[in-house]
Amino acid sequence: MSEIPATLVKQLRELTGAGFMDCKRALEQTNGDLEAAQRLLREQGIAHAGKRAGRETTEGIVLSTIGGATGAMVAIGCETEPVSRNEEFLAFAERALESVEESGPETIESLEDARLGLVAKLGENVVVRGAARLESTDGESLAEYVHPPANKIGVLLKARGDNPAAARRLAMHISFAAPRFVTRDDVPREALAAEREIFEKQPDLEGKPEEVQAKMVEGMLARRFFAETVLLDQAWIHEPSKTVEQALGEDGPEVLEFTRFALAE
């Protein structure tokens, strides 16, 4: 078979989880015989990666870096704590971080063969759980925070203002509080409507006048939804008597964008 069709390579990849070039070589060596190629990959230890693809990867490491106006962060997951400390695993994570910092998250695809080779060698699933890159311009700053000692939760943040210490404290807050939105305006209408509908059916509202019910629903949204999911409404972890909005009003940075990775979630 002089040329291996891309569709056949794709089919073998789906069956085995092996990398593109591994599948192509296996098909070339077996003259396009799909079963023989699959068996060959199993013999080489490469096809095991596909069998491990569904396993949970709640261990691993989050790495981040900021250089000048560019910040990058990756979350590399594995199955067990010993592998998260393995030198080859850590080398792959560093390589992923460097690649994202240089060329952006889309470059992670170029590491797929290396990832699958690592899976075969270490004997457990290894995945890139997340990759992010942020760039700042004049009047903006970047901050990062990875929670020690486990290094399994990390935040990369872009803010307006020039107060790196305050921005880092904010990144630390985000790592703990896990907000989904920056402001109330960022909450999708559908999500807000769904929450309001839930609160409108609470037994506490029965028998109350409509205007009272409306105020109670808004109060529930503020305390039970916005205070948990919206960054500016959350209690500031460094001084819980204040909201994040109040703390930032004194301290400075205006949040423009953030990414949070948590391997155990």
Side-chain angles (χ1 to χ4, degrees):
M1 209 171 171
S2 57
E3 179 131 7
I4 302 297
T7 53
L8 195 60
V9 177
K10 182 176 183 292
Q11 189 176 355
L12 184 58
R13 289 199 70 183
E14 290 173 350
L15 287 170
T16 64
F20 180 87
M21 291 307 300
D22 288 321
C23 289
K24 190 171 186 293
R25 282 191 291 267
L27 286 165
E28 288 172 346
Q29 292 177 35
T30 58
N31 200 32
D33 186 321
L34 193 61
E35 286 190 15
Q38 192 173 353
R39 184 169 58 252
L40 177 61
L41 288 172
R42 285 202 303 268
E43 291 169 356
Q44 294 173 344
I46 297 172
H48 290 304
K51 295 180 181 180
R52 299 186 179 106
R55 295 185 188 172
E56 289 191 0
T57 52
T58 55
E59 296 293 337
I61 192 168
V62 176
L63 297 177
S64 64
T65 184
I66 293 176
T70 301
M73 182 171 66
V74 295
I76 312 298
C78 61
E79 296 177 49
T80 64
E81 186 178 353
V83 165
S84 73
R85 299 193 299 267
N86 176 276
E87 288 186 5
E88 290 179 274
F89 174 84
L90 294 174
F92 174 79
E94 290 284 356
R95 180 180 173 188
L97 181 65
E98 291 171 4
S99 182
V100 171
E101 181 184 20
E102 182 177 339
S103 305
E106 60 279 357
T107 193
I108 285 295
E109 294 181 8
S110 67
L111 302 178
E112 180 63 6
D113 285 346
R115 183 190 72 83
L116 289 168
L118 189 61
V119 171
K121 189 165 189 178
L122 298 180
E124 67 177 60
N125 197 16
V126 174
V127 297
V128 180
R129 292 276 300 273
R133 180 185 180 202
L134 294 178
E135 296 183 5
S136 62
T137 58
D138 290 344
E140 298 174 351
S141 61
L142 299 175
E144 54 83 29
Y145 176 77
V146 177
H147 186 57
N151 297 332
K152 295 200 294 184
I153 300 175
V155 171
L156 183 63
L157 167 75
K158 179 163 73 171
R160 184 172 288 116
D162 188 19
N163 190 335
R168 181 170 170 78
R169 285 197 297 274
L170 180 55
M172 185 184 299
H173 169 93
I174 293 171
S175 75
F176 281 90
R180 293 164 53 195
F181 315 103
V182 176
T183 71
R184 293 188 182 191
D185 291 339
D186 296 327
V187 181
R189 290 182 180 179
E190 301 79 13
L192 186 56
E195 291 298 321
R196 181 173 276 111
E197 185 177 355
I198 290 171
F199 293 136
E200 286 173 345
K201 295 178 180 178
Q202 297 298 303
D204 295 351
L205 272 62
E206 291 182 9
K208 302 284 195 309
E210 286 188 12
E211 63 273 17
V212 174
Q213 289 187 19
K215 289 182 180 179
M216 291 178 67
V217 168
E218 292 307 311
M220 292 177 186
L221 279 170
R223 294 189 307 273
R224 303 183 193 177
F225 181 67
F226 293 136
E228 292 182 4
T229 63
V230 175
L231 175 61
L232 295 185
D233 281 73
Q234 291 179 328
W236 183 233
I237 65 164
H238 306 287
E239 192 174 342
S241 62
K242 298 178 180 178
T243 65
V244 172
E245 185 172 26
Q246 290 169 335
L248 295 186
E250 302 168 3
D251 228 0
E254 176 190 348
V255 182
L256 299 176
E257 186 179 353
F258 71 84
T259 297
R260 177 182 180 272
F261 295 141
L263 290 171
E265 295 177 2

